[in-house]
Amino acid sequence: MRLVIIGGDAAGMSAASEARRRAPEAEIVVLEASRDVSYGACGLPYKLVPGADVEDLNIISAERFRTERALDVRLGHQVTSVDSAGKMVRGQADTGPFALSYDKLLIATGASAVRPAIDGLESLWGKGAYVLKTLQDGRELKAALKDKPRHAVVVGGGYIGLEATENLRKAGLEVTVVEALPSLVPFVPEAMRQRVMQEAASQGVSIRLDTKVVEVRRGASGRMVVGTTGGAIETDLVLVAVGVRPNVAFAKQAGISLGAGGAIAVDDMLRTSVEDIYAAGDCADAKHVVTGKSVWIPLALRANRAGKVAGQNMTGSRTTIPGIVGTAVFKFFDLEIARTGLSEQEAKEAGWDVVVATITSSTRAHYYPGGGKLFVSLVAERKTGKLLGGSMVGPEAAAHRVDSVAVALHAGLGAKELYAMDLAYAPPFGPSWSPLLIASSALMKAMKVD
Amino acid sequence: MRLVIIGGDAAGMSAASEARRRAPEAEIVVLEASRDVSYGACGLPYKLVPGADVEDLNIISAERFRTERALDVRLGHQVTSVDSAGKMVRGQADTGPFALSYDKLLIATGASAVRPAIDGLESLWGKGAYVLKTLQDGRELKAALKDKPRHAVVVGGGYIGLEATENLRKAGLEVTVVEALPSLVPFVPEAMRQRVMQEAASQGVSIRLDTKVVEVRRGASGRMVVGTTGGAIETDLVLVAVGVRPNVAFAKQAGISLGAGGAIAVDDMLRTSVEDIYAAGDCADAKHVVTGKSVWIPLALRANRAGKVAGQNMTGSRTTIPGIVGTAVFKFFDLEIARTGLSEQEAKEAGWDVVVATITSSTRAHYYPGGGKLFVSLVAERKTGKLLGGSMVGPEAAAHRVDSVAVALHAGLGAKELYAMDLAYAPPFGPSWSPLLIASSALMKAMKVD
């Protein structure tokens, strides 16, 4: 039996490793377009600071996968087409074109940074303008930082943009973030958005909201000029972080059905619409536990988990993968920004009559030194109190406290049930009434439940 | 209508305040034996360091309760008997004996530090030997620290003993902890116990396990001598932290039924066995969600919550209080030690056939600076995988991550369901597979579930 896996990062290598554990005799071929396999892409922003090395993000080398797990990892192999009738993949390698038959195929091609069609940008990639998605992107950006740029424009204030902003700042650059939307972190309530803006200001970061980039060019002085709807910004370096797109080109050509966000539609066994073809990771969709609908929320845990399940099912198991609730967290200087489930707007768009409670509490007992204000917001269905989502912003505690809400969402709990929870307390870690309980109580009040 | 509340700390003042909100016209009398109401007792250990003030633990003064909430707070009123037939309480105040009739009575007398019968100790209380439970205890210990003791013996290595140890150390003292049991934190697995011992050693704290104190006396030199089963220890100060006992003397005399741990037995509306008498806080028992049985686990959140519910029910509501899972956390120098639900031993004693998984993970991504090793242990029923408890030890993340397990226990989830959770990940906060998921997976492996 030959298993072919297209893509050698989180999902692909998890699948390959799991398949190997379960099927010691199977031939397992991993086709990776780049030169890198299995790396911690989420760590890229943190490697922008001086002294940090992008190569530290490598987890297991292709060579180790070959020798220790007997996986036939082929680097520089770009798949260009899949013939599902003939069960063949075809593509281009350094050594020329290749064709390979498969018994079971996994598409784990991930997602790519969006490179928007902005005037002048096309010719500047790698020469002043960068994205930050792959290890190679990281190497190029690190190389550019060796020229000691004084100022950077970060286009896009999503979590990659903001994580990069923090680290560029720590690398000594002035940073201006240009965000097309009228707000950063639009998935949290206004008070929490303001807290994030305040953090940016206190860290000396300039944030331009409601501003679109219309042009990027190299000016007469040799510096870059970023033309925006709010005027031109002169800078040394442009980092474009306006999101990612699933890599589905050949999947689409092969007639594989696409789902949410244009990602490959998979069922709960990670099967695509075409027999013997699976998909996992950032290129595939997932079922949202709260809405029951297909969504595309490409995050690391799901990619790892889906890879593992795909590896099981390609070797004869019938394991189902659980749905997701979209739990995400990131650090922005001295703030933790976390969310899970649906935002108020998402819940409304999904048709719910919602009630929202946003409270501020503190990350330590009032008499315990340090800490700060913790914002907690919960979204629930008005009629039943069923929790739909939550978010937290604070200098500590948000990143891990949000998991309690995620568990509650998976368990289908309501505000009253969350309020009943016996949660941890000690003075260094919060007030005796956990902020989550205070928020649940506020939710019940907003629902007029006693 | 006259409501009488015996005890003016967390449960008592929560009850009084809630009753006032619901019954603006009611006469509400709070009888407090000491001079202090409503203070953060959990903060006492942290006020032992120089510059910290025990008085900062006061939350709301008796005067403010009187003027802002119209509560008749009577300090220095020690209740000595309850006549439930005549609906009267009697006691002793500074001004002489008092008697007061009630329509509804709440017993919120809390717990007291155990003062063990050790040879010589009786005459040394306040003169070299101390406990740390009340604000007054804190004042006395702080006063003793003004004499610049160089060394302290802490008798008892429970969480109060260990929190006090940390802060006495930070106040510049050498500390020896004498623990009668063969281990600190007996509710966590061996590897985690060792981690706690290692922390003590690295902080220069001497821990003597399996050692009983047999005598305390003042030696010829004027220093104290603590005689133990492992030899005598010369010291300047002895802090006895061997646990607490519910204050139930007059409740017992009044014929009120006692429950787990000798605390007052209450139903889920906080009613005692005697009509119109309620109990809440550290003097009352609670139902454990996992076992369904009565337990006595006196902790702050429960006291606050029970006070609130008692205040509701004394004013005509029929609110039920949820059970507890015994979630607790404390800080010991650079470690967070957290638990929820049943320990392996407790689960076995309760009759379960248990499976335990203990894993080590890390508190940050492997390439992210700082952090350290996080231990996670989960206990489940072998046959069904139903979660029974969990514990965590690490330099960060344990205090808040344990709440996820608490929520899972309340929701009655199993190992497989916990493993399905979509939990938060970013490099500064943990690995992509949350330590909790890794532990769930280990639990499933131990159960031989795929």
Side-chain angles (χ1 to χ4, degrees):
Chain A
M1 185 173 66
R2 181 187 287 161
L3 309 181
V4 174
I5 294 169
I6 309 173
D9 201 0
M13 295 318 304
S14 291
S17 300
E18 184 71 12
R20 172 55 72 227
R21 272 189 285 274
R22 292 175 43 92
E25 303 304 320
E27 185 186 357
I28 304 176
V29 183
V30 178
L31 304 172
E32 167 56 43
S34 80
R35 294 271 146 207
D36 302 305
V37 295
S38 183
Y39 58 91
C42 306
L44 284 167
Y46 301 98
K47 297 304 174 187
L48 300 180
V49 297
D53 187 350
V54 167
E55 306 306 330
D56 288 347
L57 298 175
N58 282 298
I59 301 168
I60 302 176
S61 68
E63 195 47 39
R64 274 187 61 203
F65 279 116
R66 288 186 197 114
T67 56
E68 296 178 12
R69 300 188 188 173
L71 298 171
D72 182 356
V73 179
R74 303 183 191 178
L75 302 180
H77 278 59
Q78 173 81 56
V79 172
T80 51
S81 72
V82 172
D83 165 11
S84 59
K87 298 186 88 171
M88 293 284 287
V89 297
R90 291 189 177 80
Q92 197 65 36
D94 307 344
T95 47
F98 67 88
L100 192 68
S101 68
Y102 65 83
D103 295 297
K104 306 274 181 186
L105 178 69
L106 174 65
I107 304 176
T109 45
S112 291
V114 171
R115 294 175 189 252
I118 290 172
D119 272 359
L121 189 56
E122 186 64 34
S123 64
L124 292 168
W125 292 121
K127 287 167 274 178
Y130 303 87
V131 293
L132 190 57
K133 175 68 174 74
T134 67
L135 209 53
Q136 188 55 28
D137 295 337
R139 291 182 189 113
E140 289 174 20
L141 184 52
K142 279 291 274 190
L145 291 174
K146 287 200 176 132
D147 298 338
K148 304 271 176 210
R150 283 173 295 130
H151 184 275
V153 167
V154 174
V155 182
Y159 62 87
I160 299 294
L162 294 180
E163 286 175 342
T165 294
E166 173 185 342
N167 288 285
L168 288 171
R169 196 87 188 85
K170 287 182 173 164
L173 284 77
E174 298 289 323
V175 182
T176 301
V177 178
V178 180
E179 169 59 51
L181 294 174
S183 153
L184 294 182
V185 290
F187 48 84
V188 301
E190 180 57 27
M192 288 154 78
R193 296 179 194 179
Q194 280 177 19
R195 179 65 189 86
V196 175
M197 288 299 282
Q198 182 198 320
E199 185 67 14
S202 76
Q203 301 286 350
V205 171
S206 168
I207 307 270
R208 305 222 188 155
L209 298 175
D210 225 345
T211 303
K212 285 186 181 63
V213 175
V214 293
E215 182 198 28
V216 183
R217 61 183 166 84
R218 198 164 283 281
S221 66
R223 294 188 84 196
M224 314 269 293
V225 179
V226 178
T228 78
T229 51
I233 309 166
E234 202 167 301
T235 189
D236 303 304
L237 186 152
V238 178
L239 175 62
V240 179
V242 295
V244 294
R245 228 174 249 144
N247 294 325
V248 296
F250 65 77
K252 206 169 161 184
Q253 279 180 339
I256 295 171
S257 298
L258 302 186
I264 298 169
V266 291
D267 68 8
D268 66 356
M269 287 197 247
L270 299 173
R271 297 176 297 199
T272 68
S273 62
V274 173
E275 198 164 357
D276 292 329
I277 302 184
Y278 298 76
D282 290 358
C283 64
D285 69 1
K287 184 175 267 195
H288 199 292
V289 167
V290 177
T291 62
K293 291 190 179 140
S294 169
V295 285
W296 182 59
I297 303 176
L299 289 171
L301 171 61
R302 170 70 186 196
N304 281 286
R305 192 194 291 274
K308 188 173 173 187
V309 171
Q312 289 169 348
N313 290 347
M314 291 168 78
T315 51
S317 177
R318 294 181 60 83
T319 305
T320 56
I321 188 162
I324 62 170
V325 293
T327 312
V329 61
F330 69 98
K331 179 177 178 294
F332 183 52
F333 295 101
D334 296 331
L335 275 190
E336 302 181 7
I337 301 162
R339 68 165 302 185
T340 187
L342 307 181
S343 69
E344 178 177 9
Q345 196 187 328
E346 288 165 347
K348 282 177 175 166
E349 283 168 7
W352 267 287
D353 178 18
V354 303
V355 58
V356 179
T358 304
I359 61 105
T360 58
S361 179
S362 50
T363 65
R364 303 184 184 182
H366 68 94
Y367 51 75
Y368 192 93
K373 199 186 273 191
L374 182 69
F375 293 79
V376 179
S377 185
L378 293 174
V379 181
E381 185 182 22
R382 181 178 296 278
K383 198 176 151 192
T384 62
K386 185 187 182 259
L387 288 169
L388 302 173
S391 54
M392 302 190 186
V393 171
E396 56 190 2
H400 299 130
R401 282 198 190 275
V402 80
D403 276 353
S404 297
V405 183
V407 175
L409 291 174
H410 276 280
L413 303 185
K416 199 170 174 179
E417 289 160 301
L418 192 59
Y419 178 68
M421 299 292 163
D422 183 20
L423 302 181
Y425 160 63
F429 308 119
S432 57
W433 281 100
S434 162
L436 208 48
L437 301 176
I438 298 171
S440 312
S441 173
L443 208 48
M444 287 158 69
K445 273 198 195 99
M447 291 169 59
K448 303 206 168 68
V449 168
D450 195 28
Chain B
M1 185 172 67
R2 181 187 288 160
L3 309 181
V4 174
I5 294 169
I6 309 174
D9 201 1
M13 295 318 303
S14 291
S17 299
E18 185 71 13
R20 173 54 74 228
R21 272 189 286 276
R22 292 175 42 93
E25 303 305 320
E27 185 185 357
I28 305 176
V29 183
V30 178
L31 303 172
E32 167 56 43
S34 81
R35 294 272 145 205
D36 302 304
V37 294
S38 183
Y39 57 91
C42 306
L44 283 166
Y46 301 98
K47 297 305 174 187
L48 299 180
V49 297
D53 187 350
V54 167
E55 306 306 329
D56 288 347
L57 298 176
N58 282 298
I59 300 167
I60 302 176
S61 68
E63 194 46 39
R64 274 187 61 202
F65 279 116
R66 290 187 195 110
T67 55
E68 296 177 14
R69 301 190 187 173
L71 298 171
D72 182 356
V73 179
R74 304 185 190 177
L75 302 180
H77 278 60
Q78 173 80 55
V79 172
T80 51
S81 71
V82 173
D83 166 9
S84 60
K87 297 186 90 169
M88 292 283 288
V89 296
R90 290 190 176 80
Q92 196 65 38
D94 307 343
T95 47
F98 67 89
L100 192 67
S101 69
Y102 65 83
D103 294 298
K104 305 274 181 187
L105 180 68
L106 174 65
I107 304 176
T109 44
S112 291
V114 170
R115 294 176 189 252
I118 291 173
D119 271 0
L121 189 54
E122 186 64 34
S123 64
L124 291 168
W125 291 122
K127 287 168 273 179
Y130 303 88
V131 292
L132 190 58
K133 175 69 175 72
T134 67
L135 210 52
Q136 188 55 27
D137 294 336
R139 291 182 189 113
E140 288 173 23
L141 184 52
K142 278 291 274 192
L145 291 175
K146 285 197 179 133
D147 298 338
K148 306 271 176 211
R150 284 173 295 130
H151 184 275
V153 167
V154 174
V155 182
Y159 62 87
I160 298 294
L162 293 181
E163 286 174 342
T165 294
E166 174 186 342
N167 288 286
L168 288 171
R169 197 85 187 85
K170 286 181 175 166
L173 284 77
E174 297 290 322
V175 182
T176 301
V177 178
V178 180
E179 168 59 50
L181 294 175
S183 153
L184 294 182
V185 290
F187 48 85
V188 301
E190 181 57 27
M192 289 154 78
R193 296 178 195 180
Q194 281 177 18
R195 179 66 188 86
V196 174
M197 288 299 282
Q198 181 197 322
E199 185 67 15
S202 75
Q203 301 286 351
V205 171
S206 167
I207 308 268
R208 304 220 187 157
L209 298 176
D210 225 344
T211 303
K212 286 186 181 63
V213 174
V214 292
E215 182 198 28
V216 183
R217 60 183 167 86
R218 198 164 284 280
S221 67
R223 292 188 85 195
M224 315 270 291
V225 178
V226 178
T228 78
T229 50
I233 309 167
E234 203 167 304
T235 190
D236 303 303
L237 187 152
V238 178
L239 175 62
V240 179
V242 295
V244 294
R245 227 176 249 144
N247 294 325
V248 296
F250 65 77
K252 205 170 159 183
Q253 279 181 340
I256 295 171
S257 299
L258 302 186
I264 298 170
V266 292
D267 68 8
D268 66 357
M269 288 198 245
L270 298 173
R271 297 177 297 199
T272 68
S273 62
V274 173
E275 197 164 359
D276 293 327
I277 303 184
Y278 297 76
D282 289 358
C283 64
D285 69 359
K287 185 175 264 194
H288 199 292
V289 167
V290 177
T291 62
K293 293 193 176 136
S294 169
V295 285
W296 182 60
I297 304 176
L299 289 170
L301 172 62
R302 170 70 186 197
N304 281 285
R305 192 195 291 273
K308 188 174 171 186
V309 171
Q312 290 168 348
N313 290 346
M314 291 167 78
T315 50
S317 177
R318 293 180 61 82
T319 304
T320 57
I321 189 163
I324 62 171
V325 292
T327 312
V329 61
F330 70 98
K331 180 177 177 296
F332 182 52
F333 294 100
D334 295 332
L335 275 191
E336 302 180 7
I337 301 161
R339 68 165 301 184
T340 186
L342 307 182
S343 69
E344 177 176 6
Q345 197 186 329
E346 288 165 345
K348 282 177 176 167
E349 283 168 7
W352 267 287
D353 179 18
V354 303
V355 58
V356 179
T358 303
I359 60 106
T360 58
S361 180
S362 50
T363 66
R364 303 185 185 182
H366 68 95
Y367 51 76
Y368 193 93
K373 199 185 273 192
L374 183 69
F375 292 79
V376 179
S377 184
L378 293 174
V379 181
E381 185 182 23
R382 181 178 296 278
K383 197 175 152 192
T384 63
K386 185 186 177 252
L387 287 169
L388 303 173
S391 54
M392 302 188 187
V393 170
E396 55 190 3
H400 299 130
R401 283 196 189 276
V402 79
D403 277 353
S404 296
V405 184
V407 175
L409 290 175
H410 276 279
L413 302 185
K416 199 170 176 181
E417 289 159 299
L418 192 59
Y419 178 67
M421 299 290 163
D422 183 18
L423 302 181
Y425 160 63
F429 308 119
S432 56
W433 282 100
S434 162
L436 208 48
L437 302 177
I438 298 171
S440 312
S441 172
L443 207 47
M444 287 159 68
K445 273 200 195 97
M447 291 168 60
K448 303 211 169 68
V449 168
D450 195 25

